[in-house]
Structures are given as C-alpha cells and as structure tokens.
Amino acid sequence: MVDEFNAPSVEAKWQKRWFDSDICSPEPEDGKKKFYLMFAYPGVSGYLHVGHMRGYTYSDVITRYKRMDGYNVLFPVGAHSSGNIAQAFSRKIERNIPGHIEILKANGCDDAQIERLKDPLEVVNFFSHIYINDYWKKFGFLATYDCFTTTIDPGYQRFIEWQFRKLDKAGMLFQKPYFGSACLNCGPVAVDASETDISQGGSAEKQEFTLLKFKLGDEIAVAGTLRPETVFGQTNFWINPDVEYVKARVGDETWILSSEAAQKLSFQKDDIEVTGRVAGRDLVGKTVIAPVVDREIPIFPSSFCDPDVGTGLVTSVPSDAPYDWIALVDLMNDPAECEKYGLDVEMVKAIKPIPIIRSKGYGENPAIEIIEKMGIQNQEDERLEEATKEIYKAGFHTGVMNDNCGEYAGMAVTLAKDKVKDMMLEKGLADVMYDLSEPVICRCGEKVIMKKIPDQWFIDYGDDNVTEISKAFVRDEMNILPPEYKDSMPATLDWFKERACARLGNWLGTKLPQDPRWIIEPISDSTLYSAYYIISPYINAGSIKEEQLNDEFFDFAFLGEGEPDALSTSTGIPVETLEKVRNDFDYWYPLDINLGGKEHMTVHFPVFLMNHAAILPENDWPRGIIVNWWISGKGGKLSKSKGGAQPIPDAARLFTVDGLRLYYSHIANPFVDVEWDEASVKNSRQIIKRIWNFAHELMEVNGKADNTLDTWLESRMSTHINDSRKAMDDFELREASNRIFFEIMSDFRWYARRGGANPEVTKKGMNAWIRMMAPFTPHIAEELWEKMGSQGFVSTSQFPEFGEFEIDNSILMAEDFIRDVQADITGILKMTGMTPTRICLYTAPAWKNKLFGMGLDILQNGRIDMGQLMKQAMAEPDMKQRSKEVSAFAGRIMKDAGKFSDADKDKAAMDFDEAEFLRSASSFLGKEFNCLVDVFLADEPGVYDPQNKRNGAFPFKPAIYIE
RNA sequence: GCAGGGAUACCCGAGCUUGGUCAAAGGGGCGAGGCUUAGGACCUCGUGGUUAGUCCUUCGUCGGUUCAAAUCCGACUCCCUGCACCA
C-alpha cells in the first residue's frame, strides 16, 4: 500500500525549494521570449477569503504554463493601500465594531497585534505580509516577490507624482466645481453599499432637485422637483401647514423653503443666509405664480410635504404625481380641513389635472390610473412611493410630451427633462440642489450631506484623442477575455468622461503634485503600476533610493528620454543601473495580461488602458486583459454556516492547496460566478489523492510491450498534449484541466483494462502527464516527478510537445470501434436482461464495405452527395444486382461516413480490417462479458447465424447475435 | 439610470462564434454490480421513454429561416451582474 499523500509536508517541502531557488526572480535574457502578467492587486482590506484566490490562482497557473512553454516570466504582486480602507479598518477596531475583532481573532490575530492595527500604516504592513506569506506563497505562486510594492511606498508616490505631471502635460488634468458627499467632521466620504466610510445609508443615491421659483409677492417660494419637465401640468402648490419654513436671502432674492433645505443649500451655495421664519399655515390659501406656465395657482395644505425632502415645498402636478393627486382628493373630501384654512371646497374641486405626457401603458393621467389600480386611499399610504417610482419610470423611458408643452411638444421625456431644466436655469426661473435619496450617517455619527467643492480636480478621460486611440487599440491589438467584454469595451471607453481624481480628506495616498492639499484617490493612483513593478525591485533592494526618483529618471526608465550619463550625474544613480533599468523595461514591457475581477470592468480596466495610451508609446500599451468572475456563497456572501468563510490557510490545510487550485481551475469557466460548494471542493481534494494512488500503481506496472495498445496510449497522449496546449494558449484552464485530470487518467485506465502493461510506455506517458499537471497542481507534480527519478523541478521543465509521442490514427479509430462494439453489446444485454454464454459478431459483407469506400471517396472531395454515390454504385455489376439493397443502404452510409470526414480518419477507415481487429480483441471482449466471443464475416457461406442477424451488419457496426 | 450576461436533462455545469457526427461532454448525487469486509476508499455499468443495439419526445415560452436548430433570426417571460469618487 502506498503512503498516503501528505499534502502539508509536500507543500512545505516544494515551496521551500522553489523560494530558495531563483525561479521567482527572472532576469531579462536576450533572445528569450517573455511573458508579463499581473493581477489587479487587492486593496488592503483585512483578511481575504477563499473566493479571492480564484483569480490569483488563474494567474499562477497561466504563468506556470508559460514558463514551461519556454517563456521568461514576470509575475509581480503588490497591494493597494491608498484610500480609506486601511483607515476604516483601524477605526473599526477603535470603535469596537461588532464582528470585526472576532474575524481578526478567528484568523489568529492576537490582542497585541489587534492593538497595533489601530494604526492604518500597520494595517497595510501587517496584511501585506499576510497576503504574501499566508496566501500567495502558501498557494505555491511562483510570483516575482522582489517586485512587491504597496501604493503608499515612498518610491511609488514619486512615481505617481511623475504620472500626474505627465497627465497634466497631456492636458488631461483640470478643475471645476463638483457636488460630492461629505461629512462635516471627516470631509468627503464614499456612499456605497460596502459602507466603508458610513454607518448607514449605503444604498442612498445622489439626487438632483430642480428648484422651481414661485413668485409670492416680493418673495420666492422654492419647490424642489425631480421632474422639471412636468412644470406644464402645474395646478396648485403644496405646503405643510405644520412646518415652520425659513426665509433666506440668496443673492438678491428672498427664498422660502424648509430650514433643512436651507441648511443643505448652505453647503452648496456661497451666498445663502437665513433671515426669518414663516409658518406653513400662514401661507395656505395664498397664491403663487408658477414658473414657465406663468399661471397663478393656489397654495393648499398637505401632510406629505417632508421638510427634509427637497425644499419641503412641492408644486402639484396631479396628472403625473400620485402624491399630488391623492392629496387633492383628500382635500376635496375634507371640507372641514378646507374650512380650517379658509379655503373654498368648490375651488379645490374645480382643480382638474392637466395631461402633459403620454406614456406607454397609460392614458392621459397616469397618476390617477395607478392610484385607482393600486387602490390607494389617502396620502398616508406607504405604497405611494412605489406608485411614484412606477410612474416616473414609465414616463422617463416611454413618455412623450403633449401638445400643450410649448416647444417641447412631441419630444421624448428623456430629452425634454434636461432641456426644460436648462431653459429654466438660463431664464433664472430655477436653481439646482443636490441631496441623498435617504439619510446617510458617517462612521463618526455625523450626518452626511452633499457639498459643493468649487475646485475639484478631474482627469479628463473624455479626451477625444485618447479615447479614440484606446478604442482602436482594443479592437485591433488586444486580447481580451471574455469576448463579450472586448466587444463592449469601446462603448465603455466612450462612456468614460471626466473622473474626480483627488480629494481633500485625510486619506492615505500620494499628494497631488499640482496642489498638495489634495490626495490622489485610489483608482487614479493604480492605472500604470505595471510599469512601476519593473523598477520596484531596485528600490526594494536599495540600489536606487527614493530621493533619486525624479521626473528625469522616470522619463528615462519608461520613455527612454534623456541620456544615462547626464541622468547619473543629476540623480547619483550609477550609469550601469540606469541602463539596466531601461533594459528591463524594454524587455518586459508591454504587459501581456492584466487579470482582475469583474468589478474592474467599468472603471479600472478602461482607465488602466487610457493612462497607458496617454503616457506611453503605443508599443508599450497592454496586450491583454482577462476578467474573472467571483466565488460567492449560496445566495450571497460566503458565510460560516454555508462554508467558505474559513481563513485561507485553514482552507488550504483542509482541502489541500493542489485540491483548491484544481477546484478553481476546473469548477467553471472564469466568466461565471461560482457558488462555493464544499462537496465540490472535497471532490477536487479526492482527485489529488486518487491521482497519487493511481500514479503509484502505474509506477509498479511491469508487463510486456503490446504494439497496438502502446501506440494507442501514445496516440492518446499526443491528442491530449495538442489539445491541452491549445486550450492553455487560449487561457481555457477549465478545458485543459478537464483533459489532464480526467481524460488522461481514464485513458491510462483503459490501457490497463485492455491489458496494456508496458513499463516504458507507461513511464513515458506519466512523465508527460506529470508535466501537464504541474501548472495546476504543482506540489503533487513535483513530488511525483521526484519519485519517478526525474531531475530538477518539473516546474521548470518543458511542457510536453506534440511530437513527443507517436500518433497512429488507425489505432485510435480501432479503439473507438471496439468501445462502440462493447457499448452495443452492453446495450443489448441491458435490454434483454440476458447473461451471455456466447457472443457472435458479423462484419459487413464486401459490397457494403465497397459502397462505404465510395462514400468516403465522395466525402473527401466535398459534401455528401447521394446522387453521385448511386450513380457510381450502379456502374458496378455486383451492385446493380442488388440495387434495392444498395439504395436502402446508401442513405445510412453517407450519414455514417460523416464521422470520418476528418482527412486522417477516412484514410485509416478505408484500410481498416474489421474482422481481423475484432478477432484480436475477442479475448478482451470475452473477458469483459465473461463468455465466448466469435467473429464471422457476414458474406462467409454457411456461417453460424440462427437468428439471421448478419444482414444488419454495417461497416464499423458489426451485427451481433447473443446466446 | 448606464452597461452587460444568462435560462440545457435530479443538481452543478459544457456545447452555442464556424447549423448536421447531440439524447446532448465532464463532475456531483442516486441506483446496480464488483472489490474489499479497515475510515462513507477504489473500479465497472446505469441514470428521458421505449425496442435486441431501434425509434420517439427533449435543451425558458411562442413564432420564423433551413433538407436539417440546443446551435441562426424575431417577439415574450423570468433570473443575474458590474458601475455611479468602493477598490
């Protein structure tokens, strides 16, 4: 019995040997082809989970293959540490957020370490080491660890400063006002579902309210709306009688609005000052002049006006706003309420909705329709939100403005919305206010508001030139997977306009060189780092000092500008070092593959490409992108109860590293999300063990040579090598691993089952097999490689070449044939339920074989052509005799012949002697079915055939009679 | 809102770009047998319905193109995903 596969010790053994060798520190070699791959580095956000290892593992498998295919491979790793994640992490510890510390402890973090992690820099430092040592090295990644860098390293920051000066020179940096979310204590905060900065409101959206100005005597009542195009349908004005509004001076106007709105606007306007107050109830019953339509409309009371939404004042468009209509209905039905404010009920009842928009699926007044449809009774009904959204959606997408909308008549709502807004802004009838769709609370507990940033810095990704050259490059030069992403990339590049690239808060990152008050934000400092990886080993080793990294250095290293002698004088870097750096860059660049998760599709990958296009010459632009999807838990995140939440090193122990690597490679193609399913992972682990045991059995093989079977095994290996190579070259890891880990194994089994036992051929096959496994499951491959007595690392051996094995198509075909016969016999046995004592096989008569040969001939020259076959056949006297049979058989023959349409196969088929082959295989079949097996020719006179089965024989499908 | 993806047999998942060789790869699960009777390990066969190896009906729904469609076209229904200063 073989020793059990001791994964932990085998893993440790080979990892030590690899990392003690120089595999991971490649040097440029003249004349040797190179391959440069990186994965989008992870943000330092704490412990990672097994899902993250999927894409990283792809990277290692691909680069291992390339290395074995004769490439010099550069595969650097790094960590993204700028932005607020490290800080957010520290703050979570300080605030003792539930669950946070538990996760740390579960991952083996002790109290003292947790205490130290209150410092964001320690977070970066600590987790960088975890990523390298506990994840990537533990998984056996032959990455170029010398390159490791994080985005807050001083050298990296010099690089980013250089990059931003380059962007500036290219005219891609500019400033303009911007409205962003911010906390009054902490400055700018990100509002997003991950809620790194905030404690509540992650799903809030930025909303733009158009502020409509209504004349009310000398003052202006300001109503906020999300639908400026509906001003044509205004019938009245809503105010909450129970709210105290404020008067505020804005420029030379006096506005009436809620105090909350005035507060919000104070962060968005330079000159707003609250000057007084006015009770809502005091305004009820007055009239205002509605903008655009210039109509006098009455002010009515309502309870739905929320002072914290918009301005707390609302213009009423009952045709298209469910709230407005139901509030009117409420008021009509409540004479007492009218009385209270001195309103004439009849006047209220006289208000008629004004149809302004035709939407698909709705009549004149969509709001009324939907209220009736949903059975909404009054303005307190919570479903009004839903109704509003529904109408908004229908109106926005399908609506067309009515004839009563002036110059906008007939215009689609999507267009009219902005046109009407712009017109009002231009004429001074309206203003704009930004708000969040729901309350957002900062981590510090303060409310998050929308704030005007008058001089926000942007990168102009809308630059026509950069956009166009990037699009063309994607189309003509880049290898992007999946193909759908390649197809949509040009549209994404077009869509990408300006992007805010720096912030004023207290974040980790590089100061904007043009204005050091700003810190460059984390997307914008991670677009060109594949270039920095080339020089980071020098900085890590101390042969280039951070202070020597001036712009001239980067210009020389990355652009080849300047002279090394002069540069050496100005920087103090030796000329040889400078020349080596430049040579490295020349050799390794461009990047061949940037591999990253699907979250990068709309932001990182496009800006990554466009920065290259803007700064580097075209022959240094990236050649490829591979996007990988995620691993999730059932119905969402990975979790303790459903598995997959354990620390990565624990998973590696439990499932073995090779098991996990095989799982990632084989479970699905890279372009779908995968649910972490522990049964599947265990199965992958089992496969590793199975291969271990099976390989040991194969090593014991000690039989005789059998030319047919040996050649068959070799031929199969040839096929597998050819197809695996093709799959790997196309980055189809699933296809390749399926072949290597399942099909090759099953071929070895078949070989043994048929009686193959040649130790030389077996060892030769195993030698290739192990090399093919190596990119996927390097640890077991190395161990088996060593046991087989091979020298050196399998990791640095040559991936099998197509010519290593003999290939004989006729033998491949013959084995397929015997399997078909076996399957047919099994089928009959299953149907009849009999236990055979004798099996008789009858090969097809000569005339059928002849006709079959004709069919193959015709097929070789083109497509199936029944007419020609019949014509040709009838010319032969022996065929003519049995013309009826011939025509019946011809249709079938052409169909079967289709199987041999392959040029090699049809030749083999023509020369194949079925009877002889079956006779040689009869002892095998006899063993399989445990009975006597006889082979006859169907046209042999007087053959034993009690049930007259032999007439059913076809070429490659012998007739079968079973007793 | 902008952009994109998918619906395949008990389950997961190939295949669809280049229509025929697709009843539809490969796993898992389940069933039968073997091997072992030490740890649910391993091997073989089966797993739409039928019949001596055939034939029939299937690849979200409806319709179309074609001698021929899971594969091409149109419509529909239902799921999912990314992005919006999060990386």
Side-chain angles (χ1 to χ4, degrees), chain A residues 38-238:
Chain A
M38 69 169 195
F39 55 71
Y41 48 28
V44 180
S45 57
Y47 290 103
L48 302 181
H49 60 69
V50 288
H52 291 109
M53 298 306 287
R54 183 183 188 187
Y56 306 155
T57 297
Y58 289 155
S59 304
D60 188 56
V61 173
I62 291 169
T63 51
R64 275 176 176 273
Y65 168 71
K66 288 290 180 186
R67 187 177 293 106
M68 292 179 68
D69 193 28
Y71 287 83
N72 202 1
V73 168
L74 183 69
F75 169 28
V77 287
H80 191 245
S81 53
S82 35
N84 62 344
I85 32 177
Q87 286 173 319
F89 190 95
S90 294
R91 265 183 262 144
K92 276 190 193 169
I93 297 179
E94 270 174 3
R95 255 198 293 288
N96 204 358
I97 300 291
H100 191 58
I101 290 178
E102 284 72 8
I103 292 173
L104 292 176
K105 288 190 170 159
N107 277 277
C109 206
D110 63 32
D111 287 341
Q113 184 58 48
I114 290 174
E115 186 60 30
R116 283 197 291 279
L117 289 175
K118 287 181 179 173
D119 173 7
L121 292 177
E122 174 63 14
V123 172
V124 173
N125 189 35
F126 178 72
F127 284 107
S128 296
H129 284 92
I130 298 267
Y131 294 174
I132 294 173
N133 296 308
D134 290 358
Y135 301 164
W136 301 332
K137 286 191 171 176
K138 276 261 159 51
F139 268 63
F141 292 177
L142 300 184
T144 316
Y145 297 100
D146 297 345
C147 294
F148 184 84
T149 191
T150 97
T151 54
I152 57 171
D153 286 355
Y156 192 88
Q157 299 201 16
R158 297 297 83 73
F159 163 65
I160 295 300
E161 287 163 11
W162 169 80
Q163 185 187 346
F164 271 73
R165 278 192 280 267
K166 283 284 162 199
L167 287 174
D168 201 4
K169 274 186 198 136
M172 288 177 68
L173 226 49
F174 69 95
Q175 286 175 286
K176 72 167 188 183
Y178 181 75
F179 294 87
S181 49
C183 161
L184 295 178
N185 290 336
C186 311
V189 294
V191 175
D192 64 79
S194 70
E195 299 194 342
T196 22
D197 292 353
I198 56 179
S199 62
Q200 184 197 323
S203 54
E205 290 177 37
K206 178 177 169 179
Q207 289 183 317
E208 182 189 273
F209 285 94
T210 302
L211 302 184
L212 303 171
K213 298 181 184 177
F214 293 77
K215 280 205 189 92
L216 176 58
D218 292 338
E219 293 160 344
I220 293 175
V222 181
T225 179
L226 296 170
R227 302 193 63 185
E229 77 280 11
T230 62
V231 289
F232 299 100
Q234 300 177 96
T235 59
N236 60 291
F237 193 88
W238 297 113

Side-chain angles (χ1 to χ4, degrees), chain A residues 504-529:
Chain A
L504 284 168
N506 175 31
W507 320 72
L508 296 184
T510 304
K511 291 189 169 79
L512 187 73
Q514 288 78 5
D515 184 349
R517 292 177 305 143
W518 295 79
I519 306 288
I520 294 166
E521 63 86 36
I523 294 278
S524 304
D525 75 0
S526 309
T527 56
L528 206 62
Y529 59 101

Side-chain angles (χ1 to χ4, degrees), chain A residues 232 354-358 364 400-411:
Chain A
F232 299 100
I354 304 169
I356 46 165
I357 292 171
R358 296 296 300 221
E364 290 198 320
V400 175
M401 306 300 289
N402 272 353
D403 291 344
N404 56 359
C405 299
E407 59 183 294
Y408 307 97
M411 192 181 283

Side-chain angles (χ1 to χ4, degrees), chain A residues 654-665:
Chain A
L654 183 56
F655 302 112
T656 76
V657 168
D658 286 339
L660 283 169
R661 292 176 59 113
L662 178 58
Y663 169 78
Y664 293 126
S665 307

Side-chain angles (χ1 to χ4, degrees), chain A residues 821-822 825-826 829 834-841 918-919 921-935 960-963:
Chain A
V821 172
Q822 192 190 4
I825 296 171
T826 308
L829 293 177
M834 59 204 287
T835 309
T837 55
R838 184 183 185 194
I839 298 172
C840 301
L841 302 172
L918 284 175
R919 285 199 184 99
S922 62
S923 68
F924 164 70
L925 290 174
K927 210 163 58 195
E928 289 284 311
F929 294 105
N930 196 25
C931 70
L932 190 67
V933 176
D934 286 315
V935 181
I960 299 166
Y961 167 65
I962 300 174
E963 292 182 338

Side-chain angles (χ1 to χ4, degrees), chain A residues 300-343:
Chain A
F300 290 157
S302 77
S303 59
F304 76 84
C305 290
D306 181 343
D308 206 19
V309 173
T311 56
L313 295 169
V314 176
T315 185
S316 175
V317 184
S319 57
D320 288 81
Y323 272 110
D324 296 343
W325 173 245
I326 197 74
L328 272 178
V329 172
D330 281 356
L331 200 58
M332 289 173 192
N333 294 335
D334 194 348
E337 181 79 358
C338 294
E339 184 109 350
K340 195 164 138 194
Y341 299 105
L343 293 173

